[in-house]
């Protein structure tokens, strides 16, 4: 059967993304980011992000159509992130998608951003002019996802382990952060250490020169009252918490300062990173093992982290779990992942959403 040509729109945070796929084939992934406008504030300012989406949307759409060499009239369906994310930012993408759907008469699909992060696992790099995609995925992605697949999503807004039985209608949240997302913890700790924003890449780099064993920071929610056992799971067996870790880093810095000593910034960065990555990977692998998951996809902006990649690979391999890490341009927020999930919905015969839906910033 013919593969649907789907346009995907992403605007949940600071990336304006327009992607085009044909079934599981990636034609283009065009992204414009307002990151630089947020740097001086040390974090994403929702109002600025929303305005930037409005400025960037039409040029990004035009670039995507040109790169994929398709006309709007050729598109079979439109897919848009409708949540979770920043309300105002989501609204820009959703309004744009509705306008396009009305103007072209094409069906519109409202997409869950987190499930879309998993959809990229299905994408083949196109033979077209998809210049924005840097590295091709390792190995050939499958035509369909395995029946019981895991996804570990780690970004500035999310830290989650999902079980996917069917990407179109059976996605279960196994565990998540109960406070800060891991990327958010990186950003906050980087600010504390005077490393600027975004903090993740800065800490990743500095940590390479530090001693991760110099200080031991707490691993949140790993005590037995939270973990329980496999037979009798505790309330947070697969969940994470990073706010206590951030406080521990702050106390640590204060102690060095109070003693009039130089703050060992590289050691603190390395030890902080080790605490984050250790607890993320150990709990994710535990969740996979206890739920019969033998294939897992790593996604989200923190998937760029060298230590997270390394330890996830090591621990998955030790547990006999196959790990897929999409190219970074598909791990961070983008429109291609939204288009990929949209195409799966079209191919599964799922009814379009219509144009009556509202964005849902706290979509489960
Ligand atoms: O998925 P993403 O681009 O979008 C948001 O969730 O906003 O992720 C951005 C997050 C930021 O918190 C950033 O500090 C973090 O990913 N990040 C990293 C690295 N590169 C980006 N964290 C740790 N190590 C990195 N190399």
């Amino acid at each position: 059967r013919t593969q649907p040509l789907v346009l995907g729109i992403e605007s949940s945070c600071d990336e304006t993304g327009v992607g085009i796929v044909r079934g599981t084939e990636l034609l283009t992934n065009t992204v414009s980011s307002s990151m630089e406008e947020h740097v001086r504030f040390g974090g994403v300012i929702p109002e600025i992000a929303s305005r930037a989406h409005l400025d960037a949307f039409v040029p990004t759409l035009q670039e995507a159509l040109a790169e994929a060499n398709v006309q709007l009239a050729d598109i079979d369906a439109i897919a848009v992130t409708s949540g979770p994310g920043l309300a105002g930012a989501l609204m820009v993408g959703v309004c744009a998608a509705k306008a396009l759907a009305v103007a072209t008469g094409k069906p519109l699909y409202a997409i869950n951003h987190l499930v879309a992060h998993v959809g990229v696992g299905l994408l083949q790099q196109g033979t077209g002019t998809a210049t924005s995609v840097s590295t091709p995925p390792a190995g050939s992605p499958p035509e369909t996802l395995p029946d019981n697949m895991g996804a570990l999503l780690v970004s500035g807004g999310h830290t989650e382990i999902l079980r996917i039985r069917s990407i179109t209608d059976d996605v279960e949240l196994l565990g998540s952060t109960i406070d800060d997302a891991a990327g958010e913890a990186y950003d906050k700790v980087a600010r504390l250490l005077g490393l600027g924003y975004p903090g993740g890449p800065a800490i990743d780099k500095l940590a390479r020169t530090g001693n991760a064993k110099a200080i031991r920071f707490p691993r949140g929610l790993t005590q037995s009252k939270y973990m329980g056992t496999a037979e009798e799971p505790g309330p947070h067996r697969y969940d994470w918490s990073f706010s206590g870790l951030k406080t521990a880093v702050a106390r640590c810095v204060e102690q060095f300062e109070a003693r009039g000593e130089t703050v060992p910034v590289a050691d603190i960065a390395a030890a902080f990173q080790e605490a984050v990555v250790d607890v993320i990977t150990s709990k994710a692998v535990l969740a996979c093992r206890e739920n019969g998951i033998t294939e897992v996809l790593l996604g989200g902006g923190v998937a760029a982290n060298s230590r997270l990649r390394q330890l996830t690979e090591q621990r998955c391999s030790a547990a006999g779990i196959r790990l897929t890490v999409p190219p970074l341009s598909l791990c961070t927020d983008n429109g291609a992942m939204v288009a990929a999930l949209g195409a799966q919905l079209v191919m599964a015969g799922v009814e379009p959403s219509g144009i009556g839906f509202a964005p849902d910033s706290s979509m489960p």
Side-chain angles (χ1 to χ4, degrees), residues 13-15 35 44 113 117 154-158 181-187 197-205 208 273 299-306 308 328 331-333:
C13 191
D14 58 341
E15 269 97 20
M35 167 82 80
V44 175
H113 176 86
H117 268 299
V154 193
S155 73
H158 308 280
E184 195 178 351
Y186 266 95
D187 294 336
Y197 175 84
I203 290 185
D204 193 356
K205 191 162 165 234
R208 282 175 213 157
Q273 170 158 284
V302 185
N305 185 268
S306 54
L308 179 63
L328 200 60
C331 281
T332 53
D333 292 348

Side-chain angles (χ1 to χ4, degrees), residues 32 39 54 99 110-111 115 119 150 176 247 260 264 276 281 290 331 352 360:
S32 162
V39 168
L54 202 52
I111 298 290
V115 182
S176 68
T247 310
V276 171
T281 51
E290 292 182 353
C331 281
D360 178 358

